[in-house]
Amino acid sequence: MTKQTDNLLDINIENIRSNIPILKDIISFNSGMDGPLPTNTIKAIKESFDKQYKLGTFTKEGIKTFYDELVEAKLKIASFTGCEPKNICLTPNTTFGINIALNGFTWTQNDEIISTKHEHPGALFPLYNLKERFGTQIKLIDIDINHPLDSILAHISKNTKAIVISHVFYETGNFIFDLREIISELRNRNIISIIDGAQAAGAIQLNLNELNPDFYSCPGQKWLMGPCGTGFLYVNEKQFSKRPPWPSIVGFNSAKFTSTDRLYDLNFKWMPNQDASLFEFGGLNSSIFKGLSTSIDLIEQSSKQVDIYKRIYDLADYLINRLKEKPNVITHTSKHHLGLVSWEHKKILAHDLVNKLWSERKIAIREIQGCNLCRASVHFFNTRDEIDVLVESLL
């Protein structure tokens, strides 16, 4: 990724920040956990609930509004991530999507799944669960961030059936820069790729059709600044007509809609969808997905004013360089990064430092539990001045 000029860091984005009112009171470096909600997003959610209240969720108009909002969300997500609406399964969060992908396959004691020692519990716990249920072999490896592909290939065996890996590691912010090449190698070996995109969607420009994973799971509430309870799973069309994967949750929305033919008969035959909605469950909250659509609108509109992805990278790079000025700080984020920056303080525990920054300066960062790391998520709405305040608040 090309280093940009200082002008990109100093560009005036107050008109963008004015649509995120909480930024007036706090310094938010926590989008990797939960991004701040824009005003227009809350407005859209309220308007959607108001329609439900006035139209009734059970009326023809109310039902149409419900489905229109979900369809709109899929269209917005697909356009934003470089794929087609048929590839998008709406979910409540990243972990739900990873569970859908993993539980769509039949596992045995002879099967092996490779992941890394640096994954989020939301990816590791579903793997632990498979080990407990089926005795599936889970191999957790270290990754050389400068040579990720070599790290993975060195551990593949004849029993390797799938790999679960983050696009960006939540602990350190290190970025798998050659993920497309990794996925291609896996497909050549008939190994399923399941990607945790929690720290990538909204922090990097995604083109999932080009990346071409089997599954790619994302949240809506982090870098996309949508409401909690929103997310999506990209399902490669190569998986549409195969069995497995079997949908781990099925319901009315899993079947083809028709106004004339029945969706099923009593001889155990039904008409499953031939796209990612097969893996979707009913009863989604369309109003919060309307909010996610609106948050994506803000990001796309902002990208017309500033190259938001280059700005994220450069602001994070600026923070890394500023942290190096502090003799008591050890930075754990490499040159292969996006917007997450992690560091360790030699004299203050991460938990204490997080609390200190919040109580004294209203600076929101997070602790990576069990690692004694502090982590700042640097989004495009952040500024150089905010970074300076953060760094100068460190001893």
Side-chain angles (χ1 to χ4, degrees):
M1 199 170 290
T2 304
K3 185 76 168 65
Q4 298 299 300
T5 65
D6 288 346
N7 290 336
L8 191 64
L9 304 186
D10 295 331
I11 189 171
N12 189 329
I13 57 167
E14 286 306 313
N15 60 323
I16 296 173
R17 289 172 60 90
S18 67
N19 194 33
I20 311 173
I22 198 172
L23 299 182
K24 296 177 182 177
D25 302 316
I26 72 169
I27 297 177
S28 175
F29 287 122
N30 215 5
S31 294
M33 181 175 177
D34 290 296
L37 287 168
T39 299
N40 289 348
T41 298
I42 295 299
K43 181 179 178 183
I45 294 171
K46 289 180 178 178
E47 288 176 349
S48 175
F49 275 122
D50 192 50
K51 284 183 180 180
Q52 292 183 34
Y53 173 67
K54 292 179 178 178
L55 295 175
T57 58
F58 49 85
T59 65
K60 182 177 180 179
E61 292 82 0
I63 293 170
K64 182 179 185 302
T65 298
F66 170 81
Y67 281 106
D68 284 349
E69 288 174 342
L70 295 181
V71 168
E72 178 190 20
K74 288 189 179 185
L75 287 168
K76 290 285 177 68
I77 292 167
S79 175
F80 188 76
T81 59
C83 64
E84 304 299 325
K86 66 182 180 181
N87 298 113
I88 298 299
C89 166
L90 299 178
T91 70
N93 53 54
T94 309
T95 299
F96 202 100
I98 291 173
N99 273 279
I100 289 173
L102 283 171
N103 288 290
F105 298 90
T106 302
W107 303 98
T108 72
Q109 294 180 353
N110 294 323
D111 293 326
E112 176 184 84
I113 305 175
I114 294 176
S115 191
T116 80
K117 299 176 182 177
H118 314 289
E119 302 301 324
H120 190 277
L124 288 180
F125 290 173
L127 293 174
Y128 290 7
N129 194 41
L130 292 182
K131 183 175 180 61
E132 291 175 348
R133 290 178 66 193
F134 307 115
T136 305
Q137 300 302 305
I138 309 300
K139 183 186 290 184
L140 301 181
I141 67 172
D142 285 310
I143 284 281
D144 179 349
I145 200 61
N146 294 310
H147 305 283
L149 176 59
D150 292 343
S151 298
I152 291 171
L153 294 181
H155 290 92
I156 289 176
S157 73
K158 63 179 182 179
N159 294 325
T160 305
K161 186 172 179 179
I163 287 183
V164 178
I165 192 170
S166 292
H167 201 166
V168 181
F169 293 111
Y170 89 106
E171 291 179 350
T172 61
N174 291 331
F175 168 56
I176 302 294
F177 62 90
D178 59 351
L179 184 60
R180 182 179 175 184
E181 185 181 356
I182 291 171
I183 290 170
S184 178
E185 275 293 326
L186 296 180
R187 182 160 287 115
N188 291 339
R189 298 164 186 254
N190 201 31
I191 297 173
I192 303 158
S193 56
I194 302 173
I195 311 303
D196 181 340
Q199 301 300 341
I204 187 176
Q205 188 165 13
L206 287 176
N207 189 318
L208 292 175
N209 278 346
E210 287 187 2
L211 200 59
N212 203 28
D214 291 305
F215 301 93
Y216 193 105
S217 190
C218 300
Q221 86 279 8
K222 296 183 186 291
W223 298 89
L224 294 178
M225 298 188 291
C228 288
T230 60
F232 60 93
L233 174 68
Y234 165 91
V235 182
N236 195 298
E237 60 187 60
K238 294 181 177 66
Q239 304 294 340
F240 291 169
S241 58
K242 292 168 125 183
R243 293 294 175 269
W246 299 95
S248 50
I249 297 176
V250 293
F252 182 81
N253 284 2
S254 305
K256 292 180 180 178
F257 179 79
T258 172
S259 58
T260 56
D261 299 324
R262 292 199 66 168
L263 299 173
Y264 60 95
D265 63 26
L266 300 181
N267 294 315
F268 309 108
K269 294 181 181 179
W270 61 303
M271 299 171 60
N273 281 319
Q274 297 296 311
D275 58 24
S277 62
L278 169 66
F279 303 93
E280 213 162 80
F281 58 99
L284 289 167
N285 187 331
S286 68
S287 298
I288 59 174
F289 278 97
K290 177 67 177 179
L292 177 58
S293 296
T294 306
S295 291
I296 291 174
D297 284 339
L298 172 65
I299 294 173
E300 291 185 327
Q301 291 164 8
S302 300
S303 67
K304 297 176 183 178
Q305 177 178 333
V306 58
D307 188 330
I308 61 174
Y309 302 113
K310 291 176 181 176
R311 180 179 170 89
I312 288 170
Y313 176 85
D314 281 3
L315 283 170
D317 211 39
Y318 178 72
L319 173 56
I320 291 170
N321 289 326
R322 285 298 324 269
L323 289 173
K324 290 178 180 177
E325 300 171 7
K326 295 291 182 178
N328 291 324
V329 171
I330 303 171
T331 306
H332 286 250
T333 302
S334 75
K335 64 180 181 180
H336 302 294
H337 66 79
L338 295 181
L340 294 182
V341 178
S342 292
W343 71 90
E344 178 183 356
H345 200 287
K346 295 179 181 178
K347 296 185 176 181
I348 308 176
L349 293 175
H351 176 78
D352 294 335
L353 184 54
V354 169
N355 289 335
K356 172 181 168 66
L357 290 172
W358 177 252
S359 62
E360 294 181 2
R361 304 301 297 269
K362 285 295 182 288
I363 300 173
I365 63 171
R366 72 157 289 184
E367 171 196 3
I368 304 298
Q369 288 85 352
C371 301
N372 194 32
L373 292 179
C374 294
R375 190 191 74 185
S377 311
V378 186
H379 214 328
F380 76 92
F381 57 73
N382 287 123
T383 66
R384 182 204 294 262
D385 289 343
E386 288 179 325
I387 292 173
D388 289 338
V389 171
L390 168 62
V391 174
E392 294 309 320
S393 299
L394 304 177
L395 298 177

